[in-house]
Amino acid sequence: MKTIFSKKGALSILFLFVASFVTHFYFLQSDAYFTVNSDALSQMAVFHKFLGENFRSGNMMWSWNYGIGGDLFGEFGYYYSTSLFFWASAFFNMDTIFHVVQLKIGLSILKSFSSMLIMFILLKYLKRTYMASIIGALLYGGSIFFLKHSLLWDFMVDSMVWLPLMILGFERWMKEKKWGLFTAGLFLMLSTNFYFAFKSSVFLLIYAVFAFIGTKQTLTIKGLFRFFFGWGKFYLLAFGLAAAAFIPSIYALFQANRGGKANEVPLAFAPEYYAGILETTFNLDGTYSILGLPVAMLFLYTVGFTFLNRREKSFLYMSLFMYVLYFIPFAHSFFNGLSEMQSRWVYLLIFSVSITSAFLIDRIAENAGKIKASRALIPFLVLGFGLFAPIYSRNAAFASYEWLILGLTALCLPLFLLAGKMGKTAFYLFLSGILALNTFGTQAVFSKKSLGTFYGQSTMDSGVLSQPGLENKAELELIRSIQSSDQSFYRMINDGNKYHNAPMYQDYHGAGAYSSLLSGNLQYFLKQRHNVLFDHDSINKFNHFNNRFYLESYMGVKYHMVPKDSAAPVYNADMVDQNESLTVYENPYALPIGFMQTQYAAEDDVEKLSFTERDQLLLQAVYTEKPVKELNWEKFNFKNLDSERIDQQKPFTLKNVKQSGKIFIVNEKGTISIPIDQQKIGTDDEVFVEADLKQEQGERFNMKVEGIHTQKLPVENKYAYPTKGFVINLGHSYEKDSVTIKLDPGEYRVSSIKVYRQKIDTDKAEQLQKQSLTDIHYEKNRVKGKIEAIQDGMLTTSIPYSKGWKTYVNGKEAKTLTVNHAFVGTPLKKGTYDIEFVYTTPLLKESLIISAIALLITIFSMIRTRRRKK
């Protein structure tokens, strides 16, 4: 690769370096904080800062600030924890989100340049000219896919850097039988992100198939086997090297709960999708475009295909194959792990088009005099009609970007017709200019139209940082005040912020999380077993316990931060602090992280209980999947639960609503009121509404119950959690004689609406407080304490269960059980004990051993290869 270090090589690399800045010009010249909207702020920026702080402090396994406690290395393998770019950035100052977003702009430019540089090197290795290699690299690293994902979900473009490196290594293995670079590229691809590793691995197989077709004269089963075995063993070696990163992340994926929905993938998209093929491919298709390829692509493919040799045509066929997949729904599902359709795999198509274009450009330049007029005219007419007819059909005026596309399209026709007369250099320069203008123009329009307007980043400024949940001065003042006065283990809920990941950013033990790999057990416990109300039923979120006394006491929620002058959120809570905008209440019945329970229930019996009864049971008895035979303890009598229905058997009072059996047609400002027996509600009772209803057309709808809001996503929505109905806590001081539900206009099927009251048993909470862990010490991934068990029972905790937890009783490892479906517990006989819970990321040790063995094999193989050469 000496040509890379030549004068032309240096100028080429300089151009790509400048190009990486030009593609980010919108953000570099504006005051917009590109990562402060959508997931970019609520997930990516927070994760980056949070993980960086933990990893720098030596904590890589567990944090109590993630949800109610969660794994850092395995669960965040989907995002950053195994990314080389993240690790390189983790040592920079990230005290605030401002520092994070400034760093992310730099990282985005670095990734863009890196992807273009490696693509350029790959194309030069494939003996492309400098100009063709520059163009191919620019098409790849300057794509809309890269810009959109890098500035919204930045972890998704790491794979775009390692993909050309992997293919460069593969080509080097094919030509020179040198496997070091191939293994290194595979290792980086596999270890960085398991989600994209799957997509890139599938593409490697596709690439290998077309490479075999393009390089082998005879196609035999034996030859095919030897070819795939030849590089397959290096894939397995790289997989072993990456095991320490790959396996824990895969394990975390299988422990998550993605809703269990059956994904219906159609055989084909709607006709409109195919009718707009050219517009989708070459224009900006609304705010979601991820192709927007330069207009010259159609000319290149149409004009130059006959000039390619056998191997070069294999690249052409591969890119066409990948393009066909773009219009097949199953492909979008397959590349997403046979789940819901996603287009995140399209970087593979862009790579194929970019590498093929470099070959086409060179061959057209070499054979410019042979280009027939019809070859240039036909794609011009097709492209002109396909791009601009839809604009007229919509009776829309041409936008500035569409005029640019029109002009560049018009320039392509004379360029190809006159290519034979202008010479190679002029042809390269003109075509490069068209492609560069198209690429940079697409980037500029997309940045302003989609990222700036649709995602709202142009409206963001430094004021966003003071929002609740981030660097809000009033919140941080109270949080730090509580932490300085109370250094025990507890959880705190901030009722006034919309950022579920606020505990990560503001550094406190909360109850919220917004992540793609949330614990499946915990999600089931909250959303199915207890049906806790959230802002909407997302598979990726939870953020509180609906102010439910039993749930919050069980979880150890000791403090609530609410807007000033708000009523106490939980029963008998005491106001302990206040500033100009917020009030802090303390729940005196919050339980420590571990406590003894001496009665048990069968998990099957729990399923038969109402939601209010399940809440009460948490402080009455513990349940496990299997009986705990070594304990001599008492089975719980469910008659001891104090809960009853209080909705009266009277017709609902309807306003702007028509009823026909179980079908309710709700008009504007429509409400349904359910009469209740107010006399049954005691001063120490909580009141719950259990509503089992759904929108008949399966559409998203909003519901308010006495001012408490939630949103139900359509069942088929890929982010919907399939919770049945709603359970809403109306509080402990409900005084009305009816409950009013307000719904969006629409048609609803109402199976049932029930209202319950349940007694708040503070005595039971106080009793458990006396039978709990004392002298508690907790740190990164361990909890220590002492306990006196006055009789046989279960040490029940609010530590989310994972196989990574080990329990030590008086220094010896003891049973670690799943209790109450989602938490850690251990059986104890009567006596006094020192207890310690220790966490290690599941399968990390085992996968480290695999990686170590693979490393030894790699070293041995390299030494052996060198000796053979001598």
Side-chain angles (χ1 to χ4, degrees):
M1 300 301 293
K2 294 180 180 179
T3 54
I4 300 299
F5 303 102
S6 65
K7 183 178 179 180
K8 288 184 179 180
L11 290 173
S12 300
I13 293 171
L14 178 61
F15 173 82
L16 296 176
F17 181 72
V18 173
S20 65
F21 281 86
V22 174
T23 56
H24 292 78
F25 179 74
Y26 174 82
F27 302 98
L28 293 172
Q29 58 83 37
S30 70
D31 294 326
Y33 293 78
F34 77 83
T35 59
V36 295
N37 198 26
S38 186
D39 293 345
L41 171 64
S42 54
Q43 288 197 88
M44 309 319 151
V46 174
F47 292 165
H48 210 116
K49 178 178 180 294
F50 170 70
L51 291 174
E53 290 172 345
N54 276 275
F55 287 8
R56 282 196 302 274
S57 68
N59 180 28
M60 293 178 55
M61 294 190 185
W62 184 270
S63 174
W64 299 106
N65 294 350
Y66 168 35
I68 61 172
D71 184 274
L72 297 182
F73 187 77
E75 290 189 25
F76 284 94
Y78 175 68
Y79 296 99
Y80 297 120
S81 64
T82 60
S83 165
L84 183 62
F85 286 102
F86 167 76
W87 279 95
S89 68
F91 298 98
F92 287 87
N93 177 25
M94 292 186 286
D95 290 340
T96 68
I97 281 185
F98 176 79
H99 295 117
V100 174
V101 298
Q102 292 297 96
L103 179 62
K104 281 179 176 285
I105 291 176
L107 281 174
S108 184
I109 293 171
L110 174 62
K111 291 178 187 179
S112 177
F113 173 65
S114 299
S115 62
M116 288 191 282
L117 175 61
I118 300 174
M119 186 67 163
F120 174 78
I121 295 171
L122 168 62
L123 290 170
K124 286 302 297 175
Y125 185 78
L126 294 173
K127 303 189 182 307
R128 297 303 91 218
T129 62
Y130 283 101
M131 291 301 294
S133 299
I134 290 172
I135 292 171
L138 183 62
L139 292 174
Y140 182 62
S143 62
I144 289 300
F145 180 97
F146 180 93
L147 189 70
K148 176 177 181 178
H149 290 82
S150 183
L151 303 187
L152 291 174
W153 306 282
D154 56 330
F155 71 94
M156 292 188 180
V157 298
D158 286 20
S159 54
M160 289 192 70
V161 177
W162 308 129
L163 176 63
L165 183 65
M166 177 185 72
I167 298 301
L168 175 60
F170 181 82
E171 288 287 341
R172 195 162 179 254
W173 170 80
M174 281 206 308
K175 293 182 179 180
E176 304 177 46
K177 296 305 175 184
K178 294 180 179 179
W179 53 271
L181 184 62
F182 182 41
T183 305
L186 284 168
F187 165 75
L188 289 167
M189 180 268 291
L190 288 166
S191 62
T192 295
N193 182 288
F194 69 87
Y195 179 66
F196 286 92
F198 168 74
K199 305 178 199 304
S200 296
S201 296
V202 172
F203 180 74
L204 176 60
L205 183 63
I206 294 171
Y207 188 93
V209 168
F210 283 99
F212 183 84
I213 293 172
T215 57
K216 303 300 179 181
Q217 296 300 314
T218 56
L219 191 63
T220 65
I221 297 297
K222 184 178 180 181
L224 191 67
F225 175 79
R226 292 179 65 179
F227 177 75
F228 280 89
F229 178 77
W231 63 264
K233 60 178 179 284
F234 299 115
Y235 184 94
L236 293 176
L237 181 62
F239 186 91
L241 290 168
F246 193 87
I247 293 177
S249 300
I250 287 291
Y251 176 83
L253 171 67
F254 284 113
Q255 301 310 305
N257 184 346
R258 304 299 295 169
K261 300 189 298 293
N263 295 289
E264 296 183 5
V265 180
L267 292 176
F269 290 112
E272 301 80 43
Y273 186 87
Y274 300 103
I277 282 178
L278 290 177
E279 189 176 19
T280 300
T281 302
F282 298 105
N283 207 339
L284 288 180
D285 181 29
T287 54
Y288 294 100
S289 173
I290 53 174
L291 285 182
L293 293 173
V295 294
M297 291 298 96
L298 184 59
F299 289 87
L300 290 173
Y301 276 62
T302 305
V303 173
F305 77 94
T306 57
F307 303 132
L308 301 177
N309 62 35
R310 177 172 175 168
R311 177 70 210 281
E312 293 165 351
K313 283 184 178 179
S314 72
F315 285 105
L316 175 66
Y317 298 147
M318 178 182 71
S319 63
L320 294 174
F321 173 76
M322 298 301 294
Y323 184 57
V324 169
L325 292 182
Y326 186 71
F327 298 97
I328 300 176
F330 178 76
H332 293 263
S333 173
F334 175 80
F335 278 108
N336 201 45
L338 291 175
S339 58
E340 74 276 353
M341 294 185 294
Q342 289 280 10
S343 54
R344 295 166 183 164
W345 63 275
V346 173
Y347 70 97
L348 305 172
L349 165 60
I350 295 167
F351 175 85
S352 304
V353 169
S354 301
I355 197 171
T356 303
S357 298
F359 282 97
L360 289 166
I361 289 167
D362 278 344
R363 292 297 175 248
I364 291 172
E366 293 168 2
N367 299 275
K370 302 178 183 178
I371 297 175
K372 297 179 180 179
S374 60
R375 286 274 178 83
L377 184 61
I378 292 173
F380 175 78
L381 296 174
V382 171
L383 194 60
F385 179 80
L387 285 179
F388 307 116
I391 298 173
Y392 284 108
S393 69
R394 296 193 296 265
N395 295 318
F398 277 87
S400 57
Y401 172 73
E402 288 160 343
W403 280 114
L404 174 66
I405 296 296
L406 178 62
L408 294 176
T409 304
L411 282 174
C412 285
L413 181 59
L415 173 65
F416 281 85
L417 290 176
L418 300 174
K421 298 180 180 180
M422 65 175 60
K424 278 188 183 182
T425 303
F427 173 78
Y428 276 127
L429 288 175
F430 274 109
L431 183 59
S432 299
I434 289 174
L435 288 168
L437 280 174
N438 199 162
T439 299
F440 295 142
T442 301
Q443 297 280 20
V445 173
F446 184 79
S447 295
K448 185 174 182 179
K449 178 183 178 183
S450 181
L451 300 175
T453 303
F454 181 79
Y455 288 101
Q457 290 156 352
S458 61
T459 64
M460 297 294 178
D461 55 30
S462 58
V464 74
L465 304 181
S466 62
Q467 291 182 2
L470 299 175
E471 289 162 33
N472 183 273
K473 183 178 179 181
E475 288 181 337
L476 291 172
E477 175 186 290
L478 288 179
I479 290 169
R480 300 298 171 253
S481 175
I482 294 168
Q483 289 172 335
S484 63
S485 61
D486 187 349
Q487 298 180 14
S488 64
F489 184 93
Y490 53 83
R491 295 186 175 97
M492 175 168 47
I493 290 178
N494 180 355
D495 288 314
N497 87 79
K498 65 180 181 180
Y499 293 111
H500 297 355
N501 289 323
M504 296 185 192
Y505 190 80
Q506 296 182 330
D507 189 23
Y508 66 90
H509 305 338
Y514 176 16
S515 167
S516 294
L517 294 185
L518 296 176
S519 163
N521 281 351
L522 191 57
Q523 288 225 65
Y524 183 89
F525 174 85
L526 291 173
K527 298 174 182 179
Q528 294 279 27
R529 184 145 288 167
H530 291 272
N531 203 317
V532 177
L533 172 72
F534 298 108
D535 52 0
H536 66 270
D537 56 339
S538 169
I539 57 176
N540 294 338
K541 300 179 182 179
F542 54 77
N543 67 334
H544 57 72
F545 304 117
N546 196 209
N547 297 340
R548 287 151 74 162
F549 173 81
Y550 289 104
L551 267 174
E552 297 212 350
S553 296
Y554 176 87
M555 294 291 187
V557 178
K558 191 174 183 179
Y559 297 102
H560 262 275
M561 194 155 53
V562 298
K564 189 177 180 181
D565 301 326
S566 297
V570 290
Y571 182 73
N572 273 0
D574 301 317
M575 190 184 80
V576 295
D577 206 348
Q578 192 176 61
N579 60 22
E580 69 278 2
S581 59
L582 297 166
T583 299
V584 177
Y585 285 96
E586 179 181 355
N587 174 16
Y589 308 106
L591 299 179
I593 196 169
F595 51 90
M596 286 298 299
Q597 287 186 300
T598 57
Q599 296 188 73
Y600 70 92
E603 187 157 3
D604 291 343
D605 292 333
V606 176
E607 293 291 344
K608 302 172 186 176
L609 301 177
S610 67
F611 291 109
T612 55
E613 290 171 330
R614 293 175 192 175
D615 278 13
Q616 285 187 62
L617 183 67
L618 290 173
L619 302 195
Q620 302 280 345
V622 63
Y623 57 89
T624 57
E625 185 177 356
K626 297 178 181 179
V628 183
K629 297 179 180 179
E630 59 262 48
L631 291 178
N632 181 24
W633 56 340
E634 181 182 353
K635 188 171 183 179
F636 179 71
N637 185 352
F638 289 101
K639 292 181 179 179
N640 293 331
L641 297 174
D642 189 353
S643 174
E644 65 176 321
R645 283 185 63 176
I646 59 172
D647 50 294
Q648 297 185 18
Q649 303 302 311
K650 295 180 180 179
F652 299 154
T653 301
L654 306 178
K655 183 179 180 181
N656 296 326
V657 176
K658 294 181 180 179
Q659 180 181 2
S660 177
K662 291 189 176 183
I663 302 298
F664 288 68
I665 300 175
V666 180
N667 299 307
E668 285 290 337
K669 298 182 179 180
T671 60
I672 303 172
S673 294
I674 302 95
I676 62 174
D677 188 347
Q678 175 61 229
Q679 294 181 351
K680 291 184 177 181
I681 303 174
T683 56
D684 55 354
D685 283 348
E686 279 184 316
V687 176
F688 290 83
V689 176
E690 184 181 315
D692 184 2
L693 56 87
K694 63 179 181 179
Q695 221 269 2
E696 275 292 86
Q697 283 70 43
E699 297 175 355
R700 179 191 305 247
F701 69 92
N702 293 285
M703 181 174 73
K704 280 189 177 180
V705 181
E706 296 297 334
I708 301 171
H709 171 265
T710 190
Q711 184 181 88
K712 182 71 174 176
L713 299 177
V715 174
E716 63 274 9
N717 186 291
K718 57 191 172 188
Y719 297 117
Y721 191 94
T723 303
K724 182 180 179 181
F726 307 86
V727 176
I728 299 172
N729 179 20
L730 300 181
H732 56 272
S733 57
Y734 193 76
E735 298 178 348
K736 297 181 181 180
D737 57 7
S738 66
V739 174
T740 300
I741 298 176
K742 181 180 179 181
L743 294 163
D744 284 345
E747 185 176 332
Y748 299 85
R749 178 175 295 275
V750 180
S751 299
S752 68
I753 300 178
K754 303 173 184 177
V755 183
Y756 290 87
R757 67 99 201 150
Q758 71 168 357
K759 182 178 176 58
I760 296 175
D761 189 348
T762 58
D763 291 339
K764 187 61 180 176
E766 290 174 337
Q767 181 183 348
L768 290 174
Q769 287 176 331
K770 296 174 183 178
Q771 300 176 39
S772 60
L773 279 176
T774 60
D775 196 20
I776 296 173
H777 299 278
Y778 70 97
E779 45 189 283
K780 300 167 185 174
N781 63 327
R782 65 182 63 226
V783 178
K784 295 180 180 180
K786 300 179 183 296
I787 194 164
E788 180 180 358
I790 58 176
Q791 64 185 90
D792 289 6
M794 183 73 69
L795 175 56
T796 304
T797 76
S798 56
I799 300 172
Y801 178 81
S802 165
K803 286 186 177 180
W805 282 106
K806 300 293 183 184
T807 306
Y808 296 90
V809 177
N810 291 337
K812 296 181 179 180
E813 186 173 346
K815 277 189 176 182
T816 303
L817 302 179
T818 308
V819 299
N820 298 334
H821 189 81
F823 302 94
V824 170
T826 190
L828 294 177
K829 294 283 190 177
K830 180 180 178 181
T832 302
Y833 303 97
D834 290 324
I835 305 294
E836 184 176 17
F837 299 101
V838 180
Y839 184 80
T840 304
T841 296
L843 300 183
L844 179 59
K845 292 180 180 178
E846 294 85 345
S847 55
L848 279 169
I849 293 172
I850 295 173
S851 292
I853 294 171
L855 180 60
L856 291 175
I857 294 172
T858 303
I859 294 172
F860 173 78
S861 299
M862 291 176 69
I863 294 172
R864 186 181 179 187
T865 301
R866 288 183 179 180
R867 286 179 177 175
R868 282 182 175 178
K869 288 182 178 179
K870 291 180 180 179

